[in-house]
Amino acid sequence: MNFKNLRWLIFSILAALCWGIWGVMAKIISEDISPYMNHILFTIGMLLTIPFVLKNAQQKPLNRKGIFWGVIAGFLAVAGNIAIYRAFATGGLAAIVIPVSNLYPVVTIAIAIIVLKEKLHWLNGVGVLLAIFAIVILSGETLLLNDPKSFFESMTLNTWLLSTLVALLFWGFFSAAQKITTNHISAKRAYIIFVVSSVSISLAFVVLGEADWQISQRTTFLGSVAGMLNGLGVLASFAAYSAEGKASKVTTIAGALQPVFTILLAIFLLGENLSFLEVGGIAIAIVAALMLSYERPPKVISNILIKNA
């Protein structure tokens, strides 16, 4: 497999790394800022990345389908975030909300196979199952593994659970919409449309009075940097799809490796300890990523021309 064929995998891992760093920074400021203000800072951070993508973002014709799906992708991502905020605001437990919402790659995989007609090698299928298991382990909340009875008893039909499921669906659709977007326009243009969508929603929060600017310079700085990293992760995922990465693979690899990077960075930056369960989850996530990176070698048909002397 040459470098060109590995581009989608490299971009997928880069997306997971950016989102992993973002996870650590978001954790640092999570108690100092409202969810809505978090999104506003997230948008400000993404705006800092625009100069890096404008230079080569030109595309000959404007593709309406690409623009349409790019806008849809942006609103789906933010809607998923809002749904998670709603889940926690209405009494959702992190032990339920986090592992359930992190299973959004399952939705993307279903869409990729049924709608986008993607085909997976059996090794990829095993990798998907391992990745889902790793995502649950590395979610940071192990109630499902420690006390599954309590986990499922807590999942009664209520507002916070419905919000969690909505987030799962929106994020799953978002990843699929990313792939469809890059079928029509470049990754850079798709990212610009994503940022514009995020700006629109941030402005709506400001108009509705959800913005609270009484925050420290430290929180503003960290929140903006976190948003920039999250934005770069989105750009990397768009690039992975644009490099012919399958939605079922890109989303699952990024989803499985993101908590790996978050945990490792938290150990070095926040002094957190690595549990035996997390070690196992990291190992499973890495094995899953390797299995998902497998591509069936193309069949080469060689024609031998016999010339008569």
Side-chain angles (χ1 to χ4, degrees):
M1 184 181 293
N2 57 36
F3 175 77
K4 185 177 180 180
N5 293 334
L6 281 174
R7 283 174 55 213
W8 72 268
L9 177 60
I10 294 172
F11 283 127
S12 300
I13 296 173
L14 182 60
L17 176 60
C18 290
W19 288 334
I21 301 174
W22 164 78
V24 174
M25 301 190 74
K27 182 176 181 179
I28 294 174
I29 64 171
S30 61
E31 296 181 358
D32 303 326
I33 193 170
S34 71
Y36 302 103
M37 196 62 199
N38 200 334
H39 176 73
I40 292 173
L41 292 181
F42 165 82
T43 302
I44 293 173
M46 284 198 300
L47 288 173
L48 299 176
T49 67
I50 290 297
F52 299 101
V53 298
L54 276 179
K55 183 178 179 181
N56 299 314
Q58 294 84 3
Q59 193 171 344
K60 294 179 181 179
L62 282 173
N63 188 295
R64 293 184 179 180
K65 285 186 177 180
I67 295 174
F68 171 79
W69 282 106
V71 172
I72 292 296
F75 277 90
L76 284 171
V78 178
N81 293 341
I82 294 173
I84 282 296
Y85 304 155
R86 176 71 174 167
F88 286 118
T90 53
L93 299 175
I96 311 294
V97 173
I98 294 176
V100 171
S101 60
N102 280 355
L103 292 177
Y104 72 89
V106 175
V107 176
T108 306
I109 292 168
I111 296 173
I113 294 175
I114 298 172
V115 179
L116 303 182
K117 306 300 180 183
E118 292 185 357
K119 295 182 179 179
L120 297 176
H121 188 272
W122 70 267
L123 274 176
N124 302 148
V126 175
V128 167
L129 295 177
L130 289 176
I132 292 171
F133 185 49
I135 289 170
V136 173
I137 293 177
L138 297 175
S139 65
E141 306 293 341
T142 57
L143 180 61
L144 176 59
L145 300 176
N146 296 336
D147 191 355
K149 182 180 178 181
S150 297
F151 179 90
F152 288 106
E153 286 178 349
S154 300
M155 294 183 65
T156 55
L157 191 60
N158 49 44
T159 302
W160 67 261
L161 179 59
L162 288 174
S163 297
T164 303
L165 295 176
V166 167
L168 181 151
L169 289 174
F170 280 166
W171 285 341
F173 288 138
F174 159 65
S175 297
Q178 281 185 296
K179 176 59 180 177
I180 297 173
T181 302
T182 54
N183 287 340
H184 301 287
I185 59 177
S186 67
K188 289 183 177 180
R189 177 161 286 185
Y191 178 66
I192 292 173
I193 294 172
F194 177 85
V195 174
V196 171
S197 301
S198 184
V199 169
S200 301
I201 295 174
S202 293
L203 290 175
F205 288 159
V206 173
V207 171
L208 293 173
E210 298 293 346
D212 180 11
W213 300 103
Q214 300 300 316
I215 55 178
S216 66
Q217 292 182 349
R218 172 181 174 273
T219 299
T220 303
F221 173 76
L222 291 177
S224 300
V225 173
M228 181 179 68
L229 289 167
N230 201 327
L232 290 174
V234 173
L235 177 59
S237 64
F238 272 124
Y241 294 123
S242 186
E244 301 183 3
K246 294 180 178 179
S248 53
K249 291 187 175 186
V250 173
T251 302
T252 310
I253 288 177
L257 293 184
Q258 176 188 347
V260 172
F261 289 121
T262 298
I263 290 171
L264 294 178
L265 288 167
I267 292 171
F268 292 106
L269 299 180
L270 304 180
E272 296 185 1
N273 296 320
L274 188 64
S275 69
F276 177 78
L277 191 63
E278 288 173 332
V279 171
I282 290 172
I284 293 172
I286 293 173
V287 172
L290 290 173
M291 285 185 156
L292 283 163
S293 67
Y294 176 79
E295 291 280 356
R296 186 193 298 273
K299 295 180 180 180
V300 179
I301 302 176
S302 58
N303 296 322
I304 302 175
L305 299 177
I306 302 175
K307 294 183 178 180
N308 293 327

